[in-house]
Structures are given as C-alpha cells and as structure tokens.
Amino acid sequence: MSRPSPSGEEELPFFVYGTLRPGEHNHDLFLRGRTRSEEPGRMRGLALYEGPGYPYAVEEPGGVVSGELVTARPETYEELLAALDELEEYTPGDPRNLYEPVARDAVRADGITVVRAWVYVAAPAIASRLRADGKPIENGDWHGDGRDTPAHRLG
C-alpha cells in the first residue's frame, strides 16, 4: 500500500535492520534490482528485540539500532514500498499489524549526515509485549543465523 512521504518531499529511503540487510535471506528477494544505493547507518530512539527468525525495532529513548539505508531507484519506489508493506503484512489502520512504518532520522556511516527514512517499528501492542517480556538485542545489531529460510519479515 503506497503512502506519501510524510513531509511531501522527495521519496524517502528505507532503514532496514533485519532480514533485508545484505547477506540476509530477504535482501535479494525484495531489494535486488530495485535499489540505487545501500549504505550502513544507525537510527537512534529504537531498540531491537528478538522475534521468531527476525527482529523487531521498538521505539525506546536512548536506544540505537544498526542497519542499512536503502535508496530505491525512482522508477521502482512505489513497487518497492508496496512489496515491503506486503512483506510486513502492513495494512493502514489494521489493528492486527505487527509493524507500523514511521519516518525517522537516521545517521549515515560518517556519523554526521542525517537522513529522513522509513523504518518499520513494532506496532504498539507488540512493542508493549516486547518491553515486558521480550529478549533485547543488546548491541542493536541483528544478524540472522544464516539458515536458508523462506521469505518472512523485514527487519
């Protein structure tokens, strides 16, 4: 499901922190041929929690998550946005959503340059459960276990 950029500006990049990172099982399935650039980055105000084969980012002050800033090729932006929403089973307004896309500031690898990007964070009910009973990923840097598993979730 497509949505406008939150500020009406140019199309935003995506910040990925899980199975869409290079080397993870959804990277090639969803990003190959659709991106103009992919570069390391970090996003403050988030913490990572273990999920069933993929992580959840939860909004938490003081947290920092490592991932990649992915810039779509302009001609594939809408297609990629729709594919990521489908991967995440995100439907606007659906209370059953596991993730919610939000626009947040990310910092490029240079540690200085700030970029506004879409990131999928745990939906409020999921985030509450994770904060209460979840297993945090202390360093904020998730890497899968390398198993050849079917496409499942964005991280």
Side-chain angles (χ1 to χ4, degrees):
M1 165 120 335
S2 71
R3 60 189 164 275
S5 150
S7 60
E9 300 170 4
E10 65 185 76
E11 298 162 329
L12 298 177
F14 301 90
F15 180 79
V16 299
Y17 54 83
T19 66
L20 287 166
R21 292 179 80 178
E24 299 298 338
H25 63 270
N26 281 333
H27 180 270
D28 287 353
L29 291 170
F30 288 87
L31 299 180
R32 182 179 298 250
R34 292 178 170 161
T35 66
R36 186 175 69 207
S37 68
E38 299 174 26
E39 61 182 303
R42 295 170 61 110
M43 192 168 276
R44 296 191 182 286
L46 299 177
L48 286 185
Y49 286 83
E50 289 286 345
Y54 52 89
Y56 284 100
V58 174
E59 295 189 272
E60 288 187 13
V64 179
V65 169
S66 296
E68 264 58 44
L69 279 162
V70 175
T71 302
R73 292 185 4 230
E75 67 273 18
T76 65
Y77 187 85
E78 291 299 321
E79 173 190 340
L80 180 56
L81 185 62
L84 296 180
D85 282 353
E86 185 176 338
L87 173 68
E88 298 309 335
E89 301 173 20
Y90 169 73
T91 302
D94 190 333
R96 297 170 297 175
N97 286 334
L98 298 178
Y99 292 95
E100 298 284 336
V102 295
R104 296 287 182 264
D105 288 342
V107 179
R108 289 197 161 128
D110 65 11
I112 299 168
T113 308
V114 176
V115 177
R116 196 82 168 155
W118 287 114
V119 61
Y120 288 82
V121 299
I126 302 292
S128 291
R129 278 196 302 253
L130 290 168
R131 285 185 194 107
D133 301 321
K135 180 181 178 194
I137 299 170
E138 297 297 334
N139 67 358
D141 193 1
W142 183 88
H143 294 281
D145 61 11
R147 289 180 298 147
D148 184 18
T149 57
H152 196 66
R153 294 268 180 265
L154 167 78

